[in-house]
Amino acid sequence: MTSVAMEYGLLLAALLFALGLVGIMLRRNLIFVLLSLEIMLNAAGLAFIVAGARWASADGQVMFMFILAVAAAEVAVGLALILQHYRRYNTLDADYASKMRG
Amino acid sequence: MTLVFYVASAIALLSTIMVVTRYNAVHALLYLVVSLISIALIFFVLGAPFIALLEVIIYAGAIMVLFLFVIMMLNLGEIAVQKEKEWLPKQMWIGPGILSGILFVLIVYTLLQGEQQWAIVEMIGPAEVGAELFGPYIIGIQLAGLMLLAGLIVATLLSKRVKFKEKTEKENK
């Protein structure tokens, strides 16, 4: 039973990751890009948990906590960047970022 | 318990598809919260109760609220109340509500099973995770702390209001 659950768990993680990737590639709205990034990070964490459950070890959960820290830092920086983008261009369209010239 | 796993997976996939296809950011956030909670239930069934709690508290709680704050901030100055009415029409609650209802039934079913049958695999509690975290992975904890500090500084710096040149303002109009 556990091996079946592990296969389906990894399949679920892969599907969620693919959905996040599709979201990043299809959406132009920066908020949605960041949301899709969250979905992808979460899917990666799910894969770690499934693997940790398969071998009954705590390492997978430890890795998930690191992913959680990365996600929190990434969201803070990303949202600050989105705020700046919006103040500068008055839109959330990611294409406007190509107007940036250092 | 395998049934709980499959139903929660189906809800996670369904709500994630809804997240990617919404036009409105707040609706997408609602569905993403449902997705995260169903993944938390999967963690619970997979024998990681501590991580399930963290998923609900940090992901579905803190990070999603951060997103919500920024979405609200971006629309500040416009006709905020009317905007909010458009954002949350009454029928918008139906989709996430049904999915959350199914999740609620699932968790009641799980809790009624008795303590021994919560997980389909061996349960690994917070004590073991903590021992691992502050044992061999202590350097990772310190690095994560440094990274969070760096993230805090960068976010504070970036969210300051800076004056742009008149030129860029005119270019956009």
Side-chain angles (χ1 to χ4, degrees):
Chain A
M1 188 162 75
T2 54
S3 67
V4 173
M6 184 202 170
E7 279 161 16
Y8 282 102
L10 287 180
L11 184 68
L12 174 68
L15 282 175
L16 286 177
F17 194 89
L19 276 174
L21 194 61
V22 166
I24 282 187
M25 291 193 294
L26 290 185
R27 303 307 295 257
R28 280 282 153 269
N29 190 321
L30 279 171
I31 293 268
F32 280 93
V33 171
L34 212 55
L35 278 180
S36 305
L37 217 58
E38 285 301 305
I39 294 172
M40 286 168 74
L41 273 174
N42 203 40
L46 178 63
F48 271 115
I49 295 288
V50 171
R54 170 66 182 80
W55 279 281
S57 100
D59 296 76
Q61 300 192 28
V62 171
M63 283 303 160
F64 184 85
M65 292 187 68
F66 289 144
I67 289 180
L68 208 61
V70 169
E74 174 252 330
V75 159
V77 175
L79 284 175
L81 281 173
I82 287 180
L83 274 181
Q84 284 294 344
H85 184 278
Y86 187 76
R87 279 181 194 149
R88 200 167 288 224
Y89 302 115
N90 273 318
T91 174
L92 283 176
D93 194 340
D95 289 340
Y96 277 79
S98 62
K99 277 191 175 182
M100 279 196 286
R101 297 283 183 267
Chain B
M1 286 300 99
T2 11
L3 175 77
V4 174
F5 177 83
Y6 290 128
V7 177
S9 315
I11 292 177
L13 277 178
L14 205 66
S15 48
T16 306
I17 291 172
M18 294 300 270
V19 171
V20 177
T21 53
R22 284 313 85 182
Y23 291 120
N24 193 316
V26 179
H27 299 172
L29 269 182
L30 272 178
Y31 275 109
L32 188 53
V33 168
V34 174
S35 163
L36 290 176
I37 293 175
S38 60
I39 290 176
L41 192 56
I42 291 172
F43 288 164
F44 195 68
V45 173
L46 282 177
F50 183 49
I51 296 299
L53 287 181
L54 280 184
E55 173 97 358
V56 173
I57 294 171
I58 297 181
Y59 253 115
I63 294 181
M64 290 304 115
V65 167
L66 204 65
F67 266 103
L68 206 60
F69 272 143
V70 169
I71 293 171
M72 298 294 173
M73 261 176 86
L74 291 181
N75 284 273
L76 217 68
E78 290 176 38
I79 326 140
V81 178
Q82 193 154 12
K83 202 82 184 168
E84 225 157 306
K85 262 184 195 165
E86 281 173 28
W87 277 354
L88 287 178
K90 292 209 171 64
Q91 63 268 28
M92 190 48 222
W93 293 101
I94 294 174
I98 289 174
L99 292 179
S100 320
I102 299 172
L103 280 178
F104 180 71
V105 171
L106 275 186
I107 200 143
V108 167
Y109 171 72
T110 313
L111 290 176
L112 286 179
Q113 293 294 307
E115 252 180 72
Q116 296 309 311
Q117 282 131 9
W118 276 352
I120 49 178
V121 291
E122 196 184 325
M123 201 78 126
I124 299 166
E128 289 149 80
V129 178
E132 191 91 350
L133 201 56
F134 289 96
Y137 287 101
I138 188 75
I139 185 78
I141 290 286
Q142 288 167 346
L143 286 176
L146 267 180
M147 185 193 60
L148 284 174
L149 178 66
L152 177 73
I153 293 170
V154 170
T156 318
L157 202 70
L158 277 178
S159 55
K160 269 202 300 191
R161 251 172 223 282
V162 285
K163 282 184 183 172
F164 304 120
K165 290 173 199 161
E166 292 288 311
K167 205 175 125 195
T168 51
E169 296 267 314
K170 273 172 195 164
E171 268 176 8
N172 289 304
K173 282 171 189 172

